[in-house]
Amino acid sequence: MDFDIREIRDYYDSDLRDYDYDELVRIGISHDNADFMVSIGVPEEYDDFVFYGKDTIQKTLIEGIKFIKIGHYACHGILNSNGLYLKEGSDGLFTTSSLHDPPIYLLNKNFRTFFLFHLIKNELAMKMRQEDEYNTQKYARELRRLYDQIDPIPMKDVEGYWSHLIEDYETGL
């Protein structure tokens, strides 16, 4: 199954953020992430994720490391939102969780992969349903296989966002 990352825009339910490539690079966002943010686009909101506009993106220091806060994740039922961060000068997309040790951890190797994971999740479910092959355990196995091929580090983090998402499908939650 081939995935064209531009198709992720079909799943956006809100307006795209307006970013300037040079401005993003100037504040420390990597060239690859800045390219994605400008060429593919980032929505204001996506599922439980909120992405900040150019005026609200902020630099911060976490455990002595420079990060750029580009949004947050507000999971249903959790009062405090978890930040979304790009590590200054590198590609990694990070998030925070009080349940994770350390509290900041790698969500995906870059912004493109984060949205690719979402595209795969949506497209795979649709394909399996169209072929009348969908069940949560089979879906979870295939998601895990595809995610492992593309970005294995988040899948090794048993307390991470993607591992928990797949675990929910495996257990039928």
Side-chain angles (χ1 to χ4, degrees), residues 8-19 36-38 40-53 70-72 84 111 114-115 118:
I8 191 61
R9 292 181 293 212
D10 295 340
Y11 294 97
Y12 292 169
D13 287 335
S14 68
D15 292 334
L16 293 179
R17 290 290 186 187
D18 182 30
Y19 298 115
F36 179 87
M37 293 169 78
V38 172
I40 301 301
V42 175
E44 292 174 4
E45 295 180 20
Y46 185 77
D47 286 341
D48 293 334
F49 296 91
V50 174
F51 298 96
Y52 300 159
I70 53 135
H72 67 267
L84 288 172
F111 227 26
F114 170 78
F115 281 102
H118 282 284

Side-chain angles (χ1 to χ4, degrees), residues 118-164:
H118 282 284
L119 177 64
I120 290 168
K121 181 176 73 105
N122 294 328
E123 292 285 310
L124 180 62
M126 186 171 44
K127 178 182 181 271
M128 291 177 89
R129 284 185 174 109
Q130 286 172 345
E131 296 172 356
D132 203 26
E133 294 181 359
Y134 184 88
N135 73 55
T136 57
Q137 290 80 24
K138 184 175 180 180
Y139 177 63
R141 277 192 308 274
E142 186 62 11
L143 269 182
R144 185 178 299 280
R145 184 186 72 76
L146 291 168
Y147 288 176
D148 272 333
Q149 288 176 355
I150 296 165
D151 191 2
I153 292 173
M155 299 313 302
K156 291 178 183 166
D157 184 350
V158 295
E159 295 300 322
Y161 173 82
W162 294 111
S163 293
H164 275 280

Side-chain angles (χ1 to χ4, degrees), residues 22-38:
D22 293 326
E23 202 173 294
L24 293 172
V25 170
R26 192 171 20 264
I27 62 170
I29 294 175
S30 73
H31 291 279
D32 286 344
N33 284 330
D35 181 59
F36 179 87
M37 293 169 78
V38 172

Side-chain angles (χ1 to χ4, degrees), residues 50-100:
V50 174
F51 298 96
Y52 300 159
K54 57 187 170 190
D55 297 336
T56 32
I57 291 174
Q58 55 188 308
K59 289 187 175 191
T60 188
L61 201 61
I62 301 172
E63 297 184 355
I65 301 170
K66 294 179 183 178
F67 287 94
I68 303 158
K69 188 172 185 180
I70 53 135
H72 67 267
Y73 169 70
C75 183
H76 297 294
I78 296 177
L79 296 176
N80 296 330
S81 63
N82 298 321
L84 288 172
Y85 303 89
L86 294 171
K87 190 172 180 183
E88 189 172 329
S90 73
D91 287 335
L93 176 64
F94 293 79
T95 192
T96 54
S97 171
S98 59
L99 305 174
H100 200 278

